[in-house]
Amino acid sequence: LMYSALTGKTIQNSTAETTLFDTGVGTLVIAADGWPLGAVLELCCGGVYSTSAGGPGKLTWRAKVGAEATLPLEMHLPAGSPLQPWRVTARWVRKATGGSGTLDGAIAGVLQIGATRSEGDDKLSAPVAAPSNANKTIDLTGQFSVANAANLLRMDYAWLRMLRVITP
């Protein structure tokens, strides 16, 4: 475990892309050359959301590794959902290291809607250039398409861990 959230942030009545991280234990920075070939970086976050009764719009999460690898996930919001749970998991795998390092990745999310749920996922269309010989900051942002006081996204937990591949 590299990071665990102590407090999260709330996004409400805004269309600005906003980080969901506040204070925590550990670090959201992968040190230069600290991500070996084949290792998987996993970010898991969750909390609650609420939406307006009429036309809440969409919510876009963006899981980021530095400025190079962004995994977006856009989901349509159900109308009139008060304090329902959500969860997002993003995973990136180190495909190449060094100055010409690359990453591949995927993201999945769940919105609870009363007794049902809505799921979504996306992935990078191809590995992206992300040199391993430079520090990489990890982030998860949220962005509503409609500003409404009833549209709320709160992160209550997060963890970041690296799953290393062990060669037999």
Side-chain angles (χ1 to χ4, degrees):
L1 186 66
M2 299 170 57
Y3 173 84
S4 182
L6 291 177
T7 61
K9 283 203 177 156
T10 298
I11 303 170
Q12 186 173 16
N13 199 20
S14 173
T15 58
E17 181 181 4
T18 306
T19 185
L20 289 163
F21 288 110
D22 199 358
T23 59
V25 175
T27 180
L28 288 164
V29 176
I30 308 301
D33 297 320
W35 189 343
L37 183 65
V40 174
L41 187 67
E42 179 182 67
L43 174 64
C44 186
C45 303
V48 296
Y49 76 97
S50 294
T51 59
S52 65
K58 301 174 192 172
L59 174 64
T60 303
W61 286 282
R62 290 179 187 88
K64 302 177 181 185
V65 173
E68 300 92 350
T70 297
L71 290 167
L73 177 60
E74 181 179 274
M75 295 183 73
H76 291 274
L77 293 167
S81 293
L83 296 176
Q84 295 291 309
W86 64 270
R87 183 182 71 247
V88 168
T89 302
R91 291 182 184 96
W92 298 269
V93 63
R94 175 59 69 187
K95 303 290 262 187
T97 58
S100 53
T102 59
L103 297 174
D104 205 352
I107 187 170
V110 175
L111 293 173
Q112 191 70 29
I113 308 166
T116 64
R117 56 194 248 168
S118 176
E119 298 180 11
D121 59 63
D122 207 347
K123 62 184 179 72
L124 294 173
S125 58
V128 296
S132 66
N133 59 358
N135 290 351
K136 299 291 179 220
T137 299
I138 310 303
D139 197 7
L140 179 70
T141 65
Q143 184 174 17
F144 287 104
S145 65
V146 174
N148 186 302
N151 284 352
L152 172 140
L153 181 70
R154 185 181 78 214
M155 186 176 77
D156 292 327
Y157 67 87
W159 69 82
L160 176 67
R161 62 185 180 168
M162 187 169 297
L163 309 168
R164 296 184 187 257
V165 176
I166 299 172
T167 306

